[in-house]
Amino acid sequence: MLNEKKVSSSFIYFFGAFGGILFGYDIGVMTGALPFLQQDWGLESATAIGWITSSIMFGAIFGGAMAGQLSDRLGRRKMILISAVIFTIGSILSGVAPHNGSIFLIVVRVFLGMAVGAASALVPAYMSEMAPARLRGRLSGINQTMIVSGMLLSYIVDFLLSGLPVTTAWRLMLTMAAVPAIILFIGVLKLPESPRFLIKNNKLNEARKVLSYIRPKEEIESEIKQIQDTAKEEKLASKNVSWGSLLSGKYRYLVIAGVGVAAFQQFQGANAIFYYIPLIVEKATGNEASSALMWPIIQGIILVLGSLLFLLIADKFKRRTLLTLGGTVMGLSFILPAIINLVIPNASPMMIVVFLSIYVAFYSFTWAPLTWVIVGEIFPLMIRGRASGLASSFNWIGSFLVGLMFPIMTASMSQEAVFAIFGAICLLGVFFIRTCVPETRGYTLEEIEKIGENRQANKKTA
């Protein structure tokens, strides 16, 4: 019986986290497919390239917002199953897009993006509700590791398929995203529903059964009581809090801090590298982008290693210290190539790619995971649901705009100039961290809320 229980909990945590791999795979797969798609369709319009790439993030803006509300009605498990079905259908439809069917592909990828946005919201929520309290602190880091592992997997698949004929290569790359979606669907069929959802829907016996798979017997009743108390507080909060409350004096400081960090994470330009690195290498060296598919794999390995490093150092350094370090190095990595290019016009064109790798290395263990740690702990309970949703929306909007605008910007100015703009935004992000974001490491949620209240009180008396 003990062994069965152990296997059950491992199965639950593995497939609970598997959605992060699927999310990362779908985000990364277009990186390798795009150069082949451009060759096949003769795509030269920077706007069309930007929309095909970023349409998945546009859909994610809405998918993330809807998933939270629907999962409260239908359950976390059922919504993950629906997302897996959308992933599968969207991936297959992407692969069979009609020739020169840019509009068709954009619409399908918006549809697919809704599942991506849903997964980005549902997977952390499901995992945090299933895992015991002592493991929740690392969940943001583990989820980040799963996402970047999914991205790396997509880069490897793109590389392995790159020897096929142009038309077949990109279609198969996009269709292959259905494989992890089907694996997720089969695995989640056997997963239990979140005990928190069951308790909120007065299914106490089912909740006890689920908790018996993943908790010691003596902890089950106390956890049920705790979940019931929290659910009552949240119900009260939903009645008394409106969207306008987020910017009321009591909460304004913490809301601006959390939403600002989420927005800066994307506007700093990381996704310009992840989505367009083959095209960046092509522009820097003159070689075809389809022959530069080793570079995404290198970036993916750096991302995975950085996420593992974060798991080791997450609780050893202050949040603001890591974000300041990361943002400063990231900003300089973007700005220095432009300066060197001005001073030494004949500098090696690969210099920019080396600096981009430095950027990715520091991003991977600072801003990438820490953004979601801060968003998870900075908002007071009364506004947490709405504020977290707002932060997620701003993050996806930033991701969409960077994906859309990067090819348009590089069509009208040099890559070095475009990255220098992103570098300036990185340094603005550091200024924001130092002036507008409180330290949250080591503080309880109540103490963090008090920091916000004290800040507002000091402003009134100043």
Side-chain angles (χ1 to χ4, degrees):
M1 186 72 183
L2 188 62
N3 287 339
E4 185 184 335
K5 181 178 175 181
K6 188 175 181 182
V7 171
S8 296
S9 63
S10 300
F11 186 89
I12 288 167
Y13 295 138
F14 175 79
F15 277 102
F18 194 84
I21 291 178
L22 182 55
F23 167 35
Y25 188 99
D26 275 86
I27 286 290
V29 71
M30 185 53 85
T31 304
L34 186 61
F36 293 91
L37 178 64
Q38 281 183 273
Q39 285 182 46
D40 190 25
W41 288 1
L43 270 181
E44 293 182 0
S45 166
T47 304
I49 292 167
W51 268 106
I52 288 171
T53 303
S54 64
S55 52
I56 201 164
M57 285 80 79
F58 183 74
I61 297 169
F62 305 100
M66 290 191 298
Q69 295 179 10
L70 287 173
S71 69
D72 283 340
R73 293 181 193 173
L74 303 177
R76 319 299 189 235
R77 175 181 170 275
K78 194 172 286 186
M79 279 305 299
I80 294 174
L81 284 171
I82 292 170
S83 296
V85 171
I86 295 174
F87 268 121
T88 305
I89 296 170
S91 302
I92 294 169
L93 287 176
S94 297
V96 298
H99 187 70
N100 289 330
S102 294
I103 300 297
F104 177 91
L105 190 55
I106 289 167
V107 171
V108 167
R109 282 176 61 76
V110 169
F111 174 70
L112 187 56
M114 294 179 73
V116 169
S120 73
L122 292 169
V123 170
Y126 181 83
M127 288 295 287
S128 66
E129 291 174 8
M130 296 300 286
R134 65 182 179 276
L135 296 181
R136 284 181 197 144
R138 290 191 175 183
L139 275 177
S140 293
I142 292 170
N143 188 47
Q144 179 68 19
T145 301
M146 290 293 182
I147 291 169
V148 295
S149 297
M151 290 172 70
L152 176 59
L153 180 62
S154 74
Y155 299 152
I156 293 170
V157 169
D158 287 349
F159 180 77
L160 293 175
L161 296 177
S162 62
L164 296 174
V166 168
T167 302
T168 308
W170 73 263
R171 290 182 183 279
L172 202 50
M173 289 172 185
L174 298 185
T175 305
M176 286 291 287
V179 175
I182 292 168
I183 294 171
L184 176 68
F185 183 86
I186 293 168
V188 173
L189 278 177
K190 297 183 179 180
L191 286 188
E193 183 50 85
S194 149
R196 194 172 186 279
F197 174 80
L198 293 171
I199 290 168
K200 285 178 77 172
N201 287 272
N202 298 314
K203 298 179 179 179
L204 291 181
N205 288 334
E206 287 183 47
R208 283 190 183 93
K209 185 178 179 182
V210 173
L211 285 170
S212 72
Y213 302 148
I214 52 179
R215 301 287 190 274
K217 190 176 179 181
E218 63 273 11
E219 292 180 10
I220 293 174
E221 292 305 320
S222 62
E223 182 155 347
I224 288 174
K225 177 72 168 60
Q226 186 181 25
I227 294 171
Q228 287 174 322
D229 291 343
T230 304
K232 285 178 187 174
E233 288 182 41
E234 288 180 351
K235 195 172 182 180
L236 182 67
S238 65
K239 287 181 181 177
N240 298 333
V241 174
S242 66
W243 285 106
S245 305
L246 299 186
L247 291 178
S248 68
K250 185 178 179 184
Y251 301 125
R252 186 185 302 131
Y253 172 61
L254 295 178
V255 169
I256 290 172
V259 173
V261 169
F264 266 112
Q265 186 206 41
Q266 290 300 336
F267 284 108
Q268 289 167 335
N271 281 342
I273 303 172
F274 304 143
Y275 301 141
Y276 297 110
I277 188 66
L279 301 184
I280 292 168
V281 174
E282 177 185 45
K283 199 158 187 176
T285 63
N287 297 324
E288 283 191 357
S290 55
S291 65
L293 296 191
M294 183 56 74
W295 278 103
I297 295 176
I298 293 169
Q299 306 294 335
I301 291 170
I302 294 171
L303 278 172
V304 171
L305 292 176
S307 70
L308 295 174
L309 173 62
F310 174 74
L311 293 179
L312 295 175
I313 66 171
D315 296 318
K316 295 179 181 177
F317 296 94
K318 291 182 177 180
R319 314 279 193 245
R320 284 171 21 121
T321 301
L322 285 175
L323 290 172
T324 300
L325 170 68
T328 302
V329 175
M330 287 154 54
L332 292 176
S333 298
F334 275 165
I335 292 169
L336 285 176
I339 295 173
I340 293 170
N341 229 40
L342 286 173
V343 178
I344 313 170
N346 297 323
S348 169
M350 286 304 290
M351 168 193 64
I352 190 169
V353 182
V354 173
F355 275 105
L356 293 188
S357 298
I358 295 170
Y359 173 102
V360 171
F362 278 81
Y363 174 80
S364 68
F365 71 89
T366 58
W367 280 84
L370 271 172
T371 294
W372 301 113
V373 173
I374 287 176
V375 167
E377 62 193 9
I378 201 168
F379 299 128
L381 176 65
M382 293 292 280
I383 60 163
R384 189 170 303 147
R386 289 178 187 263
S388 297
L390 187 65
S392 179
S393 294
F394 267 85
N395 190 265
W396 279 116
I397 290 167
S399 179
F400 164 66
L401 289 175
V402 168
L404 176 65
M405 295 304 297
F406 181 76
I408 298 172
M409 292 167 74
T410 53
S412 58
M413 64 181 88
S414 71
Q415 285 191 151
E416 287 82 3
V418 174
F419 282 120
I421 293 170
F422 286 134
I425 295 172
C426 289
L427 297 181
L428 278 175
V430 172
F431 178 76
F432 179 80
I433 292 298
R434 303 312 301 178
T435 57
C436 301
V437 179
E439 181 55 55
T440 56
R441 182 180 72 101
Y443 292 95
T444 66
L445 298 181
E446 291 73 23
E447 287 169 341
I448 294 168
E449 185 171 349
K450 201 72 181 169
I451 291 171
E453 290 176 8
N454 291 342
R455 174 80 172 231
Q456 193 58 34
N458 291 338
K459 273 190 177 182
K460 286 181 180 178
T461 57

